[in-house]
Amino acid sequence: MIRYLRLLGVQLRASALLGMQYRIDFALDGLIEVFWAITSIIPLFVVYSARATVAGWSFGESLLVVGWFTLLAAVLEGAISPSLTNVVEHIRKGTLDFVLIKPADAQFLVCTARIQPWRAINVVTAVIIFGYAFRLLGHSPTFGGIAMSLALLWASTAVLFSLGILTVSAAFYVVRIDNLMHLFIAIFDAARWPSAVFRGVIRFIFTFVIPLALMTTYPAQALLGTLPVSTFVLSLLGACVFVGLSRLVWLRALGKYTSAS
């Protein structure tokens, strides 16, 4: 465990040095991230300008969901997408051999290979959104709510990485999966809204198949103190299932790799 934490530190340091080698570009990328984070709130202002609540969620409560969406977007676009896109290139060119021969778990290496550090500014933006939301709500989260939401942050991150691994595993069977990755990111965009907004089949898919509700709505409910304990426990168990499933699929898909040699 300690060995892999040290290895993660090395990967993060290498990515940070690579990202900051052109400082002006690094600063501009950071400003662009702030701009996009601000624009993600605009649809919320437009919708709530005509009504007080949407599907039982007030403006301040929906802002919490947007805050979680901003936080996880930093993880998805800053760590998961760049690393897994890199894996697809390795598989296509047959250069995954260089990863497999290293004395560490291949899945860990490919998941932490390329990180875009300027995306971390979205974490600061998310904290500001949380602060503004609770100012509008007129109260602060409880210690228990914060603890539950942090546990759900782990679950959300684990599910995101698992879905990414499941997606990228398809590259062992088909030549190009670029569109599949773009589709996955486009679907994730729906997580900026509370799950109660969706109805019927779409709500079922966003709860159990692609659990967007677990990623943003449930953590927001945990901060508000309205998340049932049973839902919290099932969310953690569901995340463990996703992690186990993605591991099995990755190992099975890796057996299909023919390498460049």
Side-chain angles (χ1 to χ4, degrees):
M1 184 66 179
I2 294 177
R3 176 169 171 257
Y4 277 95
L5 287 176
R6 288 176 178 171
L7 186 55
L8 177 61
V10 172
Q11 299 271 61
L12 289 174
R13 184 169 180 272
S15 295
L17 291 174
L18 185 64
M20 291 188 291
Q21 61 181 334
Y22 303 107
R23 296 182 181 180
I24 295 178
D25 289 348
F26 180 81
L28 286 176
D29 288 333
L31 290 175
I32 291 172
E33 284 304 308
V34 172
F35 172 77
W36 285 118
I38 292 173
T39 57
S40 70
I41 304 176
I42 292 177
L44 214 61
F45 279 99
V46 173
V47 171
Y48 280 95
S49 64
R51 61 192 70 186
T53 62
V54 175
W57 287 70
S58 68
F59 178 68
E61 292 168 343
S62 293
L63 268 181
L64 291 177
V65 177
V66 174
W68 281 103
F69 171 80
T70 305
L71 187 61
L72 290 177
V75 176
L76 176 62
E77 298 173 4
I80 299 175
S81 183
S83 294
L84 297 185
T85 300
N86 196 38
V87 178
V88 175
E89 288 299 313
H90 276 312
I91 297 171
R92 187 179 304 157
K93 297 176 181 175
T95 54
L96 190 64
D97 306 27
F98 300 113
V99 178
L100 298 177
I101 61 175
K102 293 179 179 177
D105 183 75
Q107 185 177 345
F108 175 84
L109 290 176
V110 300
C111 287
T112 58
R114 183 181 294 177
I115 296 171
Q116 297 178 341
W118 59 84
R119 300 282 186 182
I121 199 167
N122 277 339
V123 177
V124 179
T125 306
V127 172
I128 294 173
I129 293 174
F130 287 145
Y132 181 57
F134 277 109
R135 183 181 177 186
L136 291 177
L137 293 171
H139 64 85
S140 301
T142 62
F143 177 79
I146 293 174
M148 289 176 71
S149 63
L150 288 177
L152 289 174
L153 174 61
W154 167 83
S156 304
T157 305
V159 169
L160 271 178
F161 267 105
S162 299
L163 290 174
I165 287 295
L166 290 173
T167 303
V168 83
S169 294
F172 289 96
Y173 300 93
V174 296
V175 179
R176 298 187 66 87
I177 63 164
D178 305 64
N179 292 334
L180 200 58
M181 292 293 292
H182 292 155
L183 176 63
F184 174 61
I185 293 175
I187 292 174
F188 176 73
D189 199 56
R192 72 177 67 238
W193 299 99
S195 61
V197 170
F198 305 101
R199 291 286 185 272
V201 177
I202 299 298
R203 186 170 182 176
F204 177 84
I205 292 173
F206 287 171
T207 302
F208 298 104
V209 181
I210 305 174
L212 300 182
L214 184 156
M215 298 177 193
T216 56
T217 301
Y218 293 168
Q221 286 183 289
L223 287 176
L224 291 168
T226 59
L227 182 69
V229 175
S230 58
T231 304
F232 171 71
V233 174
L234 288 174
S235 297
L236 297 183
L237 292 176
C240 293
V241 169
F242 267 93
V243 170
L245 177 64
S246 66
R247 180 67 176 175
L248 288 175
V249 171
W250 166 261
L251 292 175
R252 189 176 180 84
L254 200 59
K256 299 291 182 182
Y257 178 63
T258 55
S259 86
S261 59

